[in-house]
Amino acid sequence: MGSFIERWQPETNNFHMPWGEMTITLHDVAFILGLRVDGLAVHGDSVEERPMCELLLAEVLDLDMVEAHAKLGNSGIKCSEFVERVRSRSRSYRQKVVGYLTFLIGMTLFPDRSVDRFKPTWMRYSSDLEHVGEYVWGAAVLAHLYRQLSLTSRAHVKGLQGCTLLLQADQIDWMPYGPHVHRRVPRTLYYGCI
């Protein structure tokens, strides 16, 4: 993973390899993760939507607004606490489904560097059960990974956050692009090598 980070060029969103440039595309995201790449837009955390997220978090986890505000703070919420509260018998099925989707989205598609915490800011999307499958999760995951690779490629940042499954897919044939690729890449690298 470290060699990928070292070769990432934030200006072009490409990996600069000895044989040329390579990148992760929306097609790769759709193929590897099976996520939508067209539909309703997904955007990151915004100041205007924070009160709505706090309200949803308070509703699903049965918290007061002060606790919900603290849980949405910088460090996020502990995974074990979130799961314990969602699994409580006092929750309705809808609250459990919203909690599960929020956990799934936060921990698999947009994980951070910590192992035991996540930010439930995606709850505003997972709470809309009728439309949660219509959002462009693939584009959001790719944009988030590009941003995190750009931040991590700087010397003072340690640890990559984002959906690193896209970098670890060893069964995918990643191909360099550009004119006359066959002249620059040894034939053995065409198959099974990122």
Side-chain angles (χ1 to χ4, degrees):
M1 195 73 64
S3 61
F4 276 126
I5 294 169
E6 289 173 4
R7 294 179 181 277
W8 182 255
Q9 298 298 315
E11 297 81 21
T12 58
N13 289 332
N14 288 323
F15 296 104
H16 285 213
M17 301 301 212
W19 56 82
E21 296 179 342
M22 296 174 76
T23 194
I24 304 167
T25 65
L26 277 174
H27 175 75
D28 296 326
V29 174
F31 185 74
I32 296 169
L33 299 177
L35 297 174
R36 287 185 67 114
V37 293
D38 63 336
L40 300 173
V42 174
H43 48 87
D45 192 16
S46 68
V47 176
E48 296 84 29
E49 294 180 345
R50 238 172 141 71
M52 184 178 73
C53 288
E54 290 172 5
L55 185 64
L56 290 168
L57 187 63
E59 175 191 331
V60 170
L61 299 184
D62 195 26
L63 301 170
D64 62 37
M65 290 304 286
V66 174
E67 286 178 304
H69 179 75
K71 300 289 183 200
L72 274 176
N74 292 335
S75 63
I77 186 171
K78 282 191 148 194
C79 297
S80 57
E81 179 186 354
F82 188 87
V83 170
E84 182 181 315
R85 285 181 173 270
V86 168
R87 293 176 93 185
S88 169
R89 291 183 188 261
S90 63
R91 302 282 167 269
S92 69
Y93 286 117
R94 185 183 191 293
Q95 289 173 321
K96 288 181 180 185
V97 169
V98 169
Y100 173 74
L101 285 175
T102 301
F103 184 77
L104 187 66
I105 291 167
M107 290 301 292
T108 59
L109 301 181
F110 304 100
D112 65 4
R113 284 184 278 278
S114 72
V115 178
D116 66 339
R117 293 182 175 272
F118 79 102
K119 293 186 180 180
T121 54
W122 306 103
M123 190 170 273
R124 65 183 178 272
Y125 298 108
S126 61
S127 66
D128 184 10
L129 295 177
E130 293 77 29
H131 297 100
V132 71
E134 297 174 14
Y135 288 105
V136 189
W137 292 110
V141 166
L142 185 60
H144 183 71
L145 182 62
Y146 278 3
R147 170 111 171 100
Q148 297 310 318
L149 280 166
S150 297
L151 292 173
T152 308
S153 65
R154 297 178 182 156
H156 66 280
V157 178
K158 295 185 181 189
L160 176 63
Q161 63 184 25
C163 189
T164 57
L165 291 172
L166 295 169
L167 300 174
Q168 298 168 349
D170 60 354
Q171 299 300 315
I172 307 301
D173 291 333
W174 286 51
M175 299 299 292
Y177 58 89
H180 311 293
V181 171
H182 64 281
R183 293 183 192 152
R184 297 186 316 219
V185 180
R187 185 132 184 99
T188 57
L189 290 178
Y190 274 111
Y191 303 101
C193 179
I194 293 179

